Amino acid sequence: MQTRYLGLLMLCITLLSACKRSALVDDFEDGSLGKWIVEGSAFAHTPATKATCPDIFGYKGAFFVTSKNHGTTVHGQMTSSAFVIKKDYINFLLGGTSSPSAYVELLINGKNIVTARPVGNNQNVLNWISWNVSKYKGQRANIRIVADFNEQRKGFILLDQIEMGNRAKSSYLESYSDCIQAKKKWLLIPAEDSEISSLLSIVNNNHNILGVEQKITPARTRIDYYVPIDISNFKGQSLTIHISGVDKKDLICKNICQEDEYTFKYDEPYRQLWHMTPHFGWANDPNGMVYFNKTYHIAYQHNPYGTRHNNMHWGYAVSKDLVHWENRPLIIAPDTLGSIFSGSSIVDVNNTAGFGENAIIAIYTSAVGNNYERQRQCIAYSTDYGRSFIKHDGNPILSDPSRIDFRDPKVSWVNNQWIMSLATGQTISFFRSEDLKHWEKLSEFGEGTGSHKGIWECPDLIRLSYKGQEKWVLLVSINPGGPHGGSATQYFIGRFDGKNFIADTMDYPLWLDAGADNYAGVTFNNIPDKAVFIGWMSNWLYSNETPTFFFRNGMTMPRELFLKHDGQKVILASKPAPDIYQACNLITEEQAMKINDVGSIDQLLQNNNGAYRIDFTLIPRGNGKFGFKLINNLNEHADFMIDTNEGTISLDRSKSGLVSFHPEFARKPIISSIVKKNMYKMELFIDKQSAELFINDGDLVFTNTLFPATVYNKIQWVAENCSIAVENIKIYRINSN
């Protein structure tokens, strides 16, 4: 009996001791937010309960805080009353969407000391988060919870049971550290394809060898791929790896390794064979495109630390023929001025900048801030044929603190001066310079003309000719607001007098491409008398989710831009660059067909590797719908149709293969206007995941991505309420070796 009482006494002492070790900040169990200042629309003025949020789990007691069920567009915050930090740790339960738009922060004297975002694989479950605040004991602090969501970035945040204690309740680590000796060429960081990111630093002698912290998506419950980091320059030296925001149980903590070779399945199912794609990681806008020393140089927006948009660097590749691309090490990395956004490169033939004759000079945007709201123009130069770049000591060379959107410089030599076209919100601004370092604003274009449904980006001012007269074309990409949702590129035709761009009177907006997947494209500098264009072959609607694995997104085929009349108006047309035609090997010519219903070629190529070209001419008889379907042996099909009654061309990709990766990818057909003609000359280029269709020698270009489970190797022509003749049928294999 005495033993039983002694045991109960010890239990009571333990419980009392535990109570003393824990100091409650707030658990919301009084059913109110009386200790908090609520601002904005994100949070109600009373806590949530099981009745209001029955799908939420992991909270303590009956009440918790959430921004859920307050709409898709919510902006707001809650700030606690001040309290004194008395213990070594602040522990709290946190859940919701892992996003830059939702977080909890500790404030001391109004300054952010530490931030936490939701962790875990289930956003509906609250998990313990622990902050080590031992060095702040005795100071007064506040806790603030923030939610900032909209239609493009949806989500919510959950918070409960904020308490102070002398031990951490979470296995979550604010910072994981591991000290290693560099022994091999590659340091491999395990990652998973996720939106939940952490910050990575690798320190040698108090210097981060990555330049600045980089975001990665660490492997938590699975390893999708390894992020390769070249550490060959540090062999034999000590490196300390720091990774923020991981759990001790996460796979990344025990699976970082070193290897002499970085091997992976480069030839994955949707890796294109003759389009430019990054060796590893994410790619978007083409940048720094220049022709020099008989070589095409292309840089691009690149994340070398993952397969989603982040950590903007300039990746780099070269080609002798615009078909075979060699990936090279990245050339410009983020620094204290910010991430490296889009821009252009020129060859400084006359050494106007003083870096040397024929130096390749990159002009790019550095962007910094939570939403990259501070954007400034910088330059870097190369004297080794573009292989490496040195940043100018005087950066930035152009800024405007009054503007949030101030980016994407495209520079060219016009009338013995450098002219910069710069995206400035809803306009394009023009600047001049004699040395690439000092710039004078000339003018601004765009107000009241064209599409303004999204931010203007990636301009390009191009000199062309039409019927012997000089004309100028201005490319402007917008996102969102494209005709098929998401992103697209519009253009203006007019004149440039050395100061102002004056658009011809036309029925704007005019779209460069009738498809959904050609964005942010620009032309190569230093190619005389030609405008050779490459675009990003994706769409911001779904680009982060496309079903590739070790890389994500690539570029369109190179095209020559020119002006022509399509029967209704002067247009900016495009055709494949001559190098593309030279890479096409004719395999077979088929007999002409007359089709009242359907007709097909059941095998386009033997041993079809997914890279081919089909030419044919469609001659309709009567008004109706006609077109063709690309079909594979799983009966997946992509349906291209022309409707002469409606004056449209469309692509239905709802049954084309893998489409479920994003709800907008195949929710509705891609439909664009087409000029009615007596015949339609078709040139269709296929490369694994891409379909680029050129109609009537560039009158219309239709660029779209497709993800069939196996290659399309059958074509079926279709006629509805009309008949068609199919003539001049030729099938080519594209030489990608």
Side-chain angles (χ1 to χ4, degrees):
M1 183 67 71
Q2 288 179 340
T3 302
R4 180 186 300 176
Y5 286 138
L6 181 61
L8 288 172
L9 178 62
M10 293 300 296
L11 177 61
C12 291
I13 292 172
T14 300
L15 290 173
L16 287 171
S17 177
C19 291
K20 289 181 180 179
R21 288 198 301 267
S22 177
L24 187 67
V25 177
D26 204 341
D27 60 3
F28 310 107
E29 288 305 302
D30 63 357
S32 76
L33 298 176
K35 301 177 183 178
W36 296 74
I37 297 172
V38 181
E39 302 172 77
S41 61
F43 301 99
H45 287 270
T46 56
T49 65
K50 184 176 182 179
T52 58
C53 294
D55 56 342
I56 302 301
F57 303 93
Y59 54 90
K60 300 294 182 182
F63 296 93
F64 59 95
V65 169
T66 180
S67 65
K68 194 172 185 181
N69 301 328
H70 293 281
T72 55
T73 300
V74 293
H75 309 280
Q77 61 186 34
M78 286 175 40
T79 307
S80 73
S81 57
F83 61 93
V84 176
I85 297 175
K86 300 177 180 179
K87 306 287 184 179
D88 291 340
Y89 291 90
I90 295 178
N91 300 301
F92 54 94
L93 289 166
L94 185 65
T97 309
S98 179
S99 165
S101 299
Y103 53 91
V104 176
E105 57 184 352
L106 180 68
L107 305 175
I108 294 179
N109 295 322
K111 181 181 178 181
N112 178 295
I113 301 300
V114 63
T115 301
R117 290 183 172 85
V119 298
N121 297 316
N122 189 336
Q123 64 181 358
N124 290 336
V125 176
L126 290 88
N127 299 285
W128 281 110
I129 298 292
S130 300
W131 286 333
N132 186 335
V133 292
S134 55
K135 63 182 177 181
Y136 303 110
K137 276 185 180 179
Q139 297 190 47
R140 293 176 63 81
N142 304 84
I143 287 177
R144 181 160 61 198
I145 177 173
V146 177
D148 185 9
F149 293 104
N150 53 40
E151 286 289 343
Q152 283 72 45
R153 192 183 287 274
K154 299 178 181 179
F156 61 92
I157 191 167
L158 309 162
L159 178 67
D160 194 22
Q161 198 67 26
I162 308 167
E163 58 187 50
M164 292 180 284
N166 289 325
R167 65 179 182 86
K169 287 194 170 185
S170 174
S171 58
Y172 175 81
L173 300 171
E174 295 170 28
S175 181
Y176 167 82
S177 297
D178 186 14
C179 186
I180 65 167
Q181 288 293 114
K183 298 177 180 178
K184 299 185 178 182
K185 177 178 174 60
W186 296 103
L187 177 66
L188 302 180
I189 308 292
E192 66 181 57
D193 187 20
S194 168
E195 292 183 348
I196 305 174
S197 63
S198 296
L199 295 174
L200 170 69
S201 297
I202 302 175
V203 177
N204 172 259
N205 292 328
N206 297 316
H207 169 69
N208 184 359
I209 69 171
L210 306 181
V212 295
E213 289 181 319
Q214 305 293 335
K215 289 184 178 179
I216 61 169
T217 52
R220 300 183 189 277
T221 60
R222 66 180 190 274
I223 299 175
D224 288 334
Y225 55 83
Y226 287 85
V227 175
I229 300 170
D230 187 347
I231 57 172
S232 56
N233 291 335
F234 300 93
K235 279 189 177 180
Q237 300 181 47
S238 175
L239 298 175
T240 303
I241 304 165
H242 298 287
I243 304 171
S244 72
V246 297
D247 194 287
K248 293 177 184 177
K249 301 187 293 292
D250 289 344
L251 290 176
I252 192 173
C253 295
K254 294 184 179 180
N255 289 280
I256 296 172
C257 59
Q258 299 181 55
E259 297 290 347
D260 284 323
E261 298 291 335
Y262 175 58
T263 58
F264 64 96
K265 187 174 174 56
Y266 177 83
D267 186 22
E268 58 180 282
Y270 298 121
R271 168 81 70 175
Q272 292 161 291
L273 299 177
W274 54 276
H275 286 73
M276 189 270 134
T277 60
H279 186 257
F280 167 85
W282 164 277
N284 61 291
D285 306 359
N287 301 152
M289 291 167 47
V290 67
Y291 182 70
F292 183 62
N293 197 29
K294 298 181 180 180
T295 301
Y296 295 94
H297 301 253
I298 183 171
Y300 54 91
Q301 292 284 275
H302 179 44
N303 178 9
Y305 301 103
T307 56
R308 290 173 181 262
H309 180 262
N310 231 322
N311 307 316
M312 287 296 94
H313 295 61
W314 271 21
Y316 178 47
V318 295
S319 175
K320 294 290 186 180
D321 60 6
L322 295 172
V323 176
H324 302 89
W325 292 93
E326 176 191 347
N327 280 287
R328 289 184 174 174
L330 62 89
I331 53 175
I332 304 180
D335 53 29
T336 55
L337 290 175
S339 295
I340 310 303
F341 276 19
S342 291
S344 54
S345 292
I346 57 90
V347 179
D348 193 7
V349 176
N350 299 315
N351 193 24
T352 62
F355 300 129
E357 289 185 5
N358 293 318
I360 298 178
I361 300 178
I363 308 96
Y364 60 91
T365 299
S366 287
V368 71
N370 291 332
N371 295 305
Y372 303 110
E373 65 273 7
R374 191 176 183 192
Q375 301 173 1
R376 296 165 288 183
Q377 313 321 307
C378 297
I379 58 176
Y381 62 94
S382 172
T383 55
D384 60 359
Y385 304 103
R387 288 176 173 83
S388 63
F389 281 76
I390 301 170
K391 293 173 181 174
H392 173 47
D393 289 339
N395 285 334
I397 48 93
L398 180 62
S399 61
D400 185 346
S402 68
R403 290 185 183 269
I404 295 177
D405 296 298
F406 190 74
R407 61 177 182 263
D408 309 339
K410 181 62 160 64
V411 174
S412 55
W413 185 253
V414 180
N415 299 334
N416 296 314
Q417 61 183 345
W418 296 110
I419 296 294
M420 177 193 292
S421 308
L422 193 71
T424 47
Q426 289 286 311
T427 60
I428 302 301
S429 294
F430 298 100
F431 297 81
R432 68 170 297 276
S433 175
E434 295 180 356
D435 61 3
L436 295 168
K437 300 173 183 175
H438 304 89
W439 293 88
E440 172 192 353
K441 185 172 180 180
L442 298 174
S443 62
E444 202 161 331
F445 167 81
E447 185 175 349
T449 187
S451 174
H452 291 269
K453 294 181 179 179
I455 297 296
W456 284 24
E457 298 183 315
C458 303
D460 193 1
L461 183 64
I462 308 165
R463 190 196 326 240
L464 296 173
S465 64
Y466 179 66
K467 293 186 175 181
Q469 293 186 339
E470 180 181 88
K471 299 292 288 185
W472 290 83
V473 172
L474 179 63
L475 303 183
V476 178
S477 292
I478 68 165
N479 178 55
H484 310 299
S487 44
T489 299
Q490 61 182 324
Y491 68 89
F492 304 87
I493 301 174
R495 58 189 176 91
F496 183 70
D497 62 8
K499 181 178 181 180
N500 300 283
F501 176 80
I502 302 97
D504 294 346
T505 301
M506 300 183 74
D507 187 17
Y508 299 113
L510 300 172
W511 301 103
L512 177 73
D513 198 300
D517 294 307
N518 183 358
Y519 187 64
V522 291
T523 56
F524 282 91
N525 274 324
N526 209 41
I527 301 180
D529 305 320
K530 285 185 180 180
V532 180
F533 167 99
I534 292 179
W536 177 50
M537 196 165 356
S538 193
N539 189 305
W540 280 115
L541 270 179
Y542 40 74
S543 57
N544 271 295
E545 311 296 336
T546 51
T548 52
F549 204 74
F550 295 105
F551 81 103
R552 191 165 266 131
N553 308 314
M555 304 301 158
T556 69
M557 75 158 75
R559 307 152 186 213
E560 286 192 27
L561 303 182
F562 60 100
L563 294 172
K564 68 175 294 191
H565 203 286
D566 70 352
Q568 291 185 345
K569 61 183 179 297
V570 177
I571 63 166
L572 181 63
S574 62
K575 60 185 178 183
D579 300 82
I580 306 300
Y581 287 120
Q582 291 173 13
C584 297
N585 299 317
L586 179 63
I587 302 300
T588 185
E589 296 186 52
E590 299 287 341
Q591 294 292 321
M593 304 180 188
K594 290 187 178 180
I595 296 171
N596 295 312
D597 184 13
V598 297
S600 64
I601 298 174
D602 291 334
Q603 181 175 277
L604 295 172
L605 291 167
Q606 291 184 351
N607 302 316
N608 189 344
N609 65 358
Y612 56 90
R613 165 187 163 198
I614 313 171
D615 289 358
F616 54 89
T617 300
L618 299 181
I619 304 172
R621 297 288 184 267
N623 291 324
K625 294 178 66 176
F626 60 91
F628 62 93
K629 298 182 180 183
L630 292 176
I631 306 171
N632 63 18
N633 59 13
L634 299 176
N635 203 34
E636 297 171 337
H637 50 92
D639 303 356
F640 296 78
M641 297 295 290
I642 293 174
D643 188 329
T644 54
N645 291 314
E646 297 293 329
T648 60
I649 182 171
S650 65
L651 167 61
D652 183 346
R653 50 187 180 182
S654 61
K655 301 289 194 315
S656 63
L658 187 56
V659 300
S660 61
F661 57 87
H662 193 281
E664 294 299 320
F665 180 74
R667 183 174 63 87
K668 58 183 180 181
I670 299 159
I671 302 175
S672 290
S673 297
I674 190 170
V675 176
K676 185 176 180 179
K677 295 289 183 74
N678 294 327
M679 58 182 289
Y680 299 88
K681 176 186 174 184
M682 304 282 192
E683 295 176 283
L684 177 64
F685 294 80
I686 301 296
D687 189 4
K688 288 288 191 78
Q689 59 156 283
S690 60
E692 293 166 282
L693 177 63
F694 295 80
I695 302 178
N696 289 341
D697 298 313
D699 280 5
L700 183 142
V701 185
F702 202 43
T703 303
N704 299 283
T705 53
L706 300 161
F707 299 94
T710 187
V711 299
Y712 300 123
N713 202 31
K714 175 180 178 179
I715 187 169
Q716 181 182 83
W717 289 281
V718 180
E720 299 177 9
N721 300 317
C722 65
S723 63
I724 54 172
V726 186
E727 300 180 354
N728 306 315
I729 307 169
K730 298 180 181 180
I731 303 170
Y732 301 79
R733 193 183 301 276
I734 298 178
N735 178 20
S736 58
N737 297 323

